[in-house]
Amino acid sequence: MFVAAAAGILVSMSLALLRALLGPTVYDRVLAVNTFGTKTVLLIASLGFLTGRPEFLDLALVYALINFIGTIAVLKFFEFGDLGLTRRVHREAE
Amino acid sequence: MIDLVLEVASWISIVAGLFFMLVGTIGVLRLPDVYTRLHAAGMTDTMGAGFLILGMMLQTIEGILHGQDTWWFVLVRLVLIYLFILFTSPIATHALARAGLAGGVEPWTAPTDGDA
């Protein structure tokens, strides 16, 4: 059963990767990478069940954390052009 | 008897999760702009991941009933992963939409007769 789950997740991961390659704007690419990360979490979990070692769920949990932080950091960079340092410097200068 | 019920229920959950995940990904590929694609991606995160994790939880419960005493921690981790996805997916979606608007991406509108 988990073979089917892993195969289906891999197919949808490749489709998400296609959107990341096609995406006309940078936000499309970030969106595709974000969904790719969520699917990676599920793929790691189902691979853990597939090999009979559910300890893999620890890796999935850590990957979910990294995925969220990475998405927010990249978005902040593209929204403001920096990660917040230069704005603070400007505000202090004023 | 309870084995069969758990097995069938987990099969149904995993197949439903795969269905929602594939539909959401096809939506991400085919919809016209980033805001509509966010809608499809959000469905992947809640329904797809939710049903897949529910299926895995049912499998874990079956394992516990078969004497895998230590598998309760698997159940706890599955719940944690689902809670985390449940909280972070809307935050990421909101941040993406806000960044898109601030970055000057115009929302797609259906072409009207006057324009065409």
Side-chain angles (χ1 to χ4, degrees):
Chain A
M1 167 166 26
F2 285 109
V3 177
I9 294 171
L10 276 176
V11 168
S12 61
M13 276 169 93
S14 57
L15 290 178
L17 208 56
L18 195 61
R19 171 49 68 196
L21 290 173
L22 287 175
T25 66
V26 69
Y27 307 105
D28 293 296
R29 295 178 207 273
V30 175
L31 167 68
V33 170
N34 188 28
T35 58
F36 188 81
T38 309
K39 282 165 198 152
T40 309
V41 172
L42 295 169
L43 180 69
I44 294 172
S46 60
L47 278 183
F49 278 96
L50 191 60
T51 53
R53 294 176 59 196
E55 297 87 5
F56 271 44
L57 287 173
D58 287 338
L59 304 184
L61 202 50
V62 171
Y63 201 92
L65 294 164
I66 294 174
N67 183 39
F68 175 63
I69 299 292
T71 305
I72 295 297
V74 169
L75 279 178
K76 199 170 178 191
F77 183 75
F78 278 109
E79 189 174 352
F80 298 115
D82 60 70
L83 290 177
L85 180 66
T86 51
R87 267 176 300 140
R88 203 175 69 215
V89 170
H90 282 312
R91 217 177 302 134
E92 283 167 2
E94 287 163 8
Chain B
M1 182 62 200
I2 189 90
D3 275 5
L4 189 68
V5 170
L6 283 176
E7 191 75 26
V8 169
S10 95
W11 253 113
I12 291 173
S13 298
I14 286 181
V15 169
L18 283 177
F19 171 75
F20 279 109
M21 180 156 281
L22 282 173
V23 167
T25 317
I26 291 170
V28 169
L29 264 181
R30 284 188 50 93
L31 287 172
D33 78 339
V34 67
Y35 306 107
T36 47
R37 282 173 201 148
L38 278 174
H39 171 65
M43 195 180 70
T44 308
D45 285 352
T46 48
M47 296 297 279
F51 271 117
L52 277 174
I53 288 178
L54 180 67
M56 289 179 201
M57 283 165 77
L58 293 173
Q59 285 282 320
T60 313
I61 291 172
E62 199 187 334
I64 291 174
L65 290 181
H66 276 274
Q68 297 271 11
D69 296 335
T70 55
W71 273 26
W72 58 268
F73 78 91
V74 177
L75 212 55
V76 171
R77 270 160 212 176
L78 282 172
V79 171
L80 278 180
I81 291 176
Y82 183 59
L83 278 182
F84 193 76
I85 290 178
L86 202 65
F87 281 116
T88 57
S89 164
I91 296 173
T93 305
H94 173 80
L96 251 166
R98 206 170 81 111
L101 274 179
V105 179
E106 289 287 323
W108 179 85
T109 49
T112 55
D113 291 331
D115 295 339

